[in-house]
Amino acid sequence: MSEEPARSSTESSSAASSGLDFEDTALTLRLPGSDPADRKRAASTSDPAAARSPRASDAPPSPKARVVGWPPVSRNRRIALPRGKFVKVAVAGAPYQRKVDLEAYAGYDQLLAALQDKFTAHFTVRRGANEEMQLVDVVSGAEYVPTYEDNYGDWMLVGDVPWRSV
Amino acid sequence: MTYFPEEVVEHIFSFLPLHSDRNTVSLVCRVWYEVERLSRRAVFVGNCYAVRPERLVQRFPNVRTLTVKGKPHFADFNLVPPDWGGYAGPWIDAAARSCMGLEELRMKRMVVLDENLELLARSFPRFKALVLISCEGFSTDGLAAIASHCKLLRELDLQENDVDDHGPRWLSCFPDSCTSLVSLNFACIKGEVNPGALERLVARSPNLRSLRLNRSVSVDTLSKILVRTPNLEDLGTGNLTDESESYLRLSSALEKCKMLRSLSGFWDASPICVPFIYPLCHHLTGLNLSYTPTLDYSDLTKMISRCVKLQRLWVLDCISDKGLQVVASSCKDLQELRVFPSDFYVAGYSVVTEEGLVAISSGCPKLSSLLYFCHQMTNEALITVAKNCPNFIRFRLCILEPKKPDAITNQPLDEGFGAIVRECKGLRRLSISGLLTDKVFMDIGKYGKQLEMLSIAFAGDSDKGMMHVMNGCKNLRKLEIRDSPFSDVALLGNVAKYETMRSLWMSGCNVTLKGCQVLATKMPMLNVEIMNELDESSEMEENHGDPSRVDKLYVYRTTAGARNDAPDFVKIL
C-alpha cells in the first residue's frame, strides 16, 4: 500500500479577467509569443495557406479603458451577479466537491488556507522546507499536490502563474 | 359608413386591435374621431413627453389600460444622468381626475413615487393590474398602499425595479378578502418577506397562474407554497441553496404543478437542485437561468438537454460553446435566446464565441429573437447564421470589446451584419458591435426596410454612415448611437425624418451646440435636449476640448412643447 501523493485539483472555469496588466503566461501551455487562437484555428481553417495575422488584441485593456455604460448590461444584472470567479475543487477521497471564489483571495497562500478550511478532514497547510506552503494529509503527512485543468484540458501545477493573472 | 349609427361604427372599430389602426380611423372624419376616442380602451404612450397627460385623458376618458414609457433605453446602462425626468406623477394625477374606469397601468423606465402609488390605489375602484418595469423612486410602502386598497387586484408585476426596502410589512397588507390574484412578481424586492404571510396569500388565491419570488424565499417556503398552486404556469423560485432534505419536499410539491411551463429565479442555485427540476423539464417552454453563476456548463446542460419543448432560454455565458451545442441539439423549438456575460470586463478567454452561435443557428431554425454577448465574432459565422435563420425579428449582438474585428481575418464585421440584414427580411430590431465601417450602414439602409429600432456603438467612419440609415430605413422609430463619429452634417442631413420617428439618442458623437440649435430652429415640433453633465463616476470620457461639443443629445417629436420638469443639466433648445 504505497502512499502516493493524492491530488486535489482545481478546475478553472474561465480565465483571467482581473482587468489588470496581463501576461501571456496565464493558464495556457504554449510558446511565448504564439497565440492560442492560432492553435485552435489551425485545426478548423479550410485554407491553411491563407495568411493569418495575429489576433488584434491579446492583452485586455487596462482599467482606464473601461467605458461608461459598457457592456450594455442593466444595473440589475451587474449588481445581481457577484464578481466572483468560482472554481470547483475536488479532493481525492472527499465525498463532496467545493467551490471557491478565486477573487476572494489575494494570493496562493490565502487560497491554500481557504482550501484547508473547506477540507479540514483531509489536509492541513504547512510551511515546507523551501518556504512554500504545502498541503499535507492530516493522518499520514503525505503531501497533496494541488493541480488544475486549464481551458485546453491540460493539467497544471498550482502556483506557477503569477497570482494576479489568475 | 357615415349613415351607420354610431354604435355600429363603434362595434366595427372594436375589431381593430392595433393602436396604429385605431389612430388611423380617427383621422377620417369628425364623427369617427369622436366614436373612436370614446370607445378606446387601451392607449400606448411610447414617450411620456410626446403628449401632455391632461390632453390624453381628455381625449380618451374611457380608457381602461394605459401604458407609458419614460426614459430613453440607454438609461438602462447609466448613460442618462439621475433626475433626468420621466415622472409618473402627472400621468396618475391626470388619470385620477378624468379616467375613473382605469383598470391597468403599465409603466417602463419611469420615476414612480410612493405618493403616486397611494393616489393610484385610492382613485380607481376597478383597478386590476399594475406592471412596473425598470422604474425607480418608490418603496415597499407604496406597494403596501396598492395591496391595501386595490380590492380587485389581479396582477402586481414588478420587473427589474429599484425599490427601497422598508421591511416585509407590505405583503401582509393584502386583506383577507383579496382572493383575486392571478399574477404576482416581486423578484426585484431586495428584502425579506414574511413566509407565513406569503403562504396565506397564496392559499387564498385560487386563480394564481404566475408567481415570481425574490431571493429571500427559502426552498422550504417554496415547497409549502407550491402545494397550494396546482394551476401555476409560471414560477420564479427563491434561493435554491438549501440542503438536499428540503429538496425532497420540493420535489413532491413540484409534481403537483402539472401546468408549469416557465421557470426563472434560481438564485444562488446549488448544483444539487438540478436533478429535482428534471421532472418539469419536458414541459418547459421558458427557462431563465441568467441570474445563476453558480451552475456551470455541465449542470446547465444536464437540465437543458431535457427541455425538448423549450421556446425561450436566457442563460449566462458560462454555458460555453459546448453547452450551446447541447442546446442546439435538444431544443428544436427554440425561438428566443439570450446569453448574458458573467464577466463584465473585456479580458479573458472566450467562454462563448461565434461557434456557439453558429451551432444554435443550425440546430434551431425557428430562432427569431437573439441577444448574444460574446468575446469574439467572425464574418463567416454571421453569414452562416443569416442563412440558417432568416426569420430573425430581433438580432442583438454585443461583442464585449469595442471595435473588435473579425477574430480570424481581422477585417471589419460589415460583411457579417450585412448578411443578417439582407437575409432577415422581417428584422425589426438590430444592435451591432465590433469593428464596423460605413459599409455596414449602406447595407442597413438598403435592406433594413422593416427595421424599427437600431442601436449603434463605436461604429462607422463618417457622416455617410448615419445618413444611409436615416435615408434608407423607412420604418425606423428609434435610433440610439453612442461613441460614433457622426457630426452635425449627419444630424441635419434629413431633419424631416425625425417627425416620423419616436426619438434619436446620440452620445459621445461629434455633434455641436450650433448643429443642435439649427435642428431645433428648423423643426419646432421636436424637443432637442442636450446634456453636458459631468459623469459622477471616475470613468470620465475625455472631452476633446471643444466646449461646443454636445456630450449627450436626445431628440423626440412632441405635441407638448418643451417640458417644464427638466433638471438644470438638461438644456432644451
Side-chain angles (χ1 to χ4, degrees), chain A residues 15-17 41 60 68 70 77, chain B residues 290 343 347 349 376 400 482 539:
Chain A
S17 62
R41 299 288 159 227
V68 174
W70 191 265
R77 288 197 178 274
Chain B
S290 63
D343 191 350
Y349 290 94
Q376 65 179 57
L400 289 168
R482 63 166 294 177
E539 303 149 28

Side-chain angles (χ1 to χ4, degrees), chain A residues 77, chain B residues 156-160 170-171 182-189 193 198 202 208-217 222 225-226 232-238 261-267 286-288 291 312 314:
Chain A
R77 288 197 178 274
Chain B
L156 179 60
D157 187 0
L158 306 168
Q159 298 178 33
E160 315 238 327
W170 67 278
L171 196 65
V182 172
S183 170
L184 177 62
N185 173 3
F186 61 92
C188 65
I189 300 298
V193 293
L198 178 60
V202 172
L208 203 61
R209 293 283 175 276
S210 170
L211 179 64
R212 295 189 185 190
L213 309 169
N214 76 352
R215 207 166 186 163
S216 75
V217 178
L222 177 61
I225 288 171
L226 288 176
L232 204 64
E233 293 168 10
D234 167 51
L235 173 67
T237 72
R261 295 290 172 268
S262 167
L263 273 187
S264 59
F266 288 89
W267 305 101
L287 184 58
N288 182 353
Y291 284 99
R312 191 174 41 88
W314 294 20

